[in-house]
Amino acid sequence: MSIYGVTVIRKSGTELYQEARSWAAALDLPFLPRPLHGTLDQLLREKGMKAVLVATHQGPQVYTEEGILKYHPSMGVPRIRNLKRGGTDHLVQACRLRPGMRVLDCTLGLAADAAVASFITGPEGKVVGLEASPVLYLAVSQGLQQYAIDDPDITASLRRIEARLGKAEELLPTFPADSFDVVYFDPMFKKPVGNSASMQPLRPASYHKSLDGSMIRAALRLAPRVVVKEREEAFLKSLGAQEIQGGKYSRIKYGIIEREGAQ
């Protein structure tokens, strides 16, 4: 039984209904017709699901027991604006990002980190993001192409990101060796960080798998540098991090793992 499904708002009309059915077919997920009565919470409970993708007139939305998630680039926007003002960014520093680089983000989520990477790597670079949750993938991949913001640099950064559906542990072996300059992981923390209540709907819809040494080795086949975002330094060291970076007052750290002989 799938933990994800696809449905539609009530009084959706033929066009939205057909769109939802097409999403369900493309994602190989069950389509759940909306009953005349009852809430989405009830639908989740009845079907034993963690999240449903809802077709609305405002685009795809993901509904979980924690609330509704509409696509937005999260902290990507203020971080890019900070970079445009000449500021710094810990991800940019840890990944040593520069124009023209090829970046693989193995945990795309809302693509905030991918957006920052895309801004720095620019039109000559390449940013590919992997998303294991099919409902998040659909909402985010459409959002990256449709989200409107009054900053052309941020808009262009979002549009350049290439989203791919699949689990990192399954997709990493499919890429040719040395396809990227850096591979990045941002596993979902066990507990939310700080004031991240607005991100709570994302958690039940996300794919949760612990990062392990086999995935790091698979990533090092693709790039000479792997960066992992985490809170626990001990965990980063267990993965083989040779260097740990992060803000002096931040609980978030970036573990850096380099291929033997990499410069």
Side-chain angles (χ1 to χ4, degrees), residues 104-109 128-132 164 166-168 171-172 175:
L104 178 63
D105 183 344
C106 293
T107 44
L108 183 62
V128 177
L130 311 182
E131 179 49 58
R164 296 194 188 184
K167 300 173 183 177
L171 291 182
L172 286 173
F175 289 101

Side-chain angles (χ1 to χ4, degrees), residues 205-243:
S206 300
Y207 172 71
H208 299 268
K209 178 179 173 59
S210 296
L211 192 58
D212 57 29
S214 65
M215 293 177 68
I216 298 298
R217 289 189 293 273
L220 285 170
R221 185 183 68 87
L222 305 185
R225 189 177 184 88
V226 174
V227 175
V228 181
K229 181 180 178 181
E230 217 349 294
R231 285 192 291 188
E232 300 178 7
E233 290 195 24
F235 178 69
L236 291 173
K237 291 178 180 178
S238 75
L239 294 176
Q242 298 119 337
E243 181 182 353

Side-chain angles (χ1 to χ4, degrees), residues 74-257:
S74 187
M75 289 300 294
V77 171
R79 287 167 62 191
I80 291 174
R81 286 176 172 160
N82 176 58
L83 288 167
K84 291 178 70 173
R85 293 192 295 266
T88 60
D89 186 273
H90 294 308
L91 173 71
V92 173
Q93 294 173 331
C95 292
R96 294 182 183 171
L97 295 179
R98 61 184 184 277
M101 282 184 66
R102 303 163 299 165
V103 179
L104 178 63
D105 183 344
C106 293
T107 44
L108 183 62
L110 294 178
D113 288 324
V116 172
S118 179
F119 172 73
I120 294 295
T121 58
E124 302 304 317
K126 177 180 181 180
V127 177
V128 177
L130 311 182
E131 179 49 58
S133 166
V135 293
L136 286 180
Y137 163 78
L138 194 288
V140 172
S141 60
Q142 286 206 9
L144 289 173
Q145 297 306 313
Q146 298 171 4
Y147 187 82
I149 192 168
D150 59 356
D151 186 320
D153 295 325
I154 297 177
T155 298
S157 299
L158 297 176
R159 302 293 186 266
R160 286 194 296 266
I161 298 168
E162 178 186 342
R164 296 194 188 184
L165 173 61
K167 300 173 183 177
E169 64 267 26
E170 296 176 356
L171 291 182
L172 286 173
T174 69
F175 289 101
D178 296 310
S179 299
F180 299 93
D181 299 299
V182 64
V183 176
Y184 174 65
F185 293 92
D186 177 13
M188 179 71 70
F189 297 137
K190 294 179 181 178
K191 296 180 180 179
V193 178
N195 298 318
S196 58
S198 63
M199 299 291 288
Q200 280 299 91
L202 179 70
R203 299 182 68 82
S206 300
Y207 172 71
H208 299 268
K209 178 179 173 59
S210 296
L211 192 58
D212 57 29
S214 65
M215 293 177 68
I216 298 298
R217 289 189 293 273
L220 285 170
R221 185 183 68 87
L222 305 185
R225 189 177 184 88
V226 174
V227 175
V228 181
K229 181 180 178 181
E230 217 349 294
R231 285 192 291 188
E232 300 178 7
E233 290 195 24
F235 178 69
L236 291 173
K237 291 178 180 178
S238 75
L239 294 176
Q242 298 119 337
E243 181 182 353
I244 296 175
Q245 295 184 8
K248 182 178 180 181
Y249 303 105
S250 173
R251 290 178 292 168
I252 307 304
K253 306 297 180 183
Y254 293 87
I256 299 163
I257 307 160

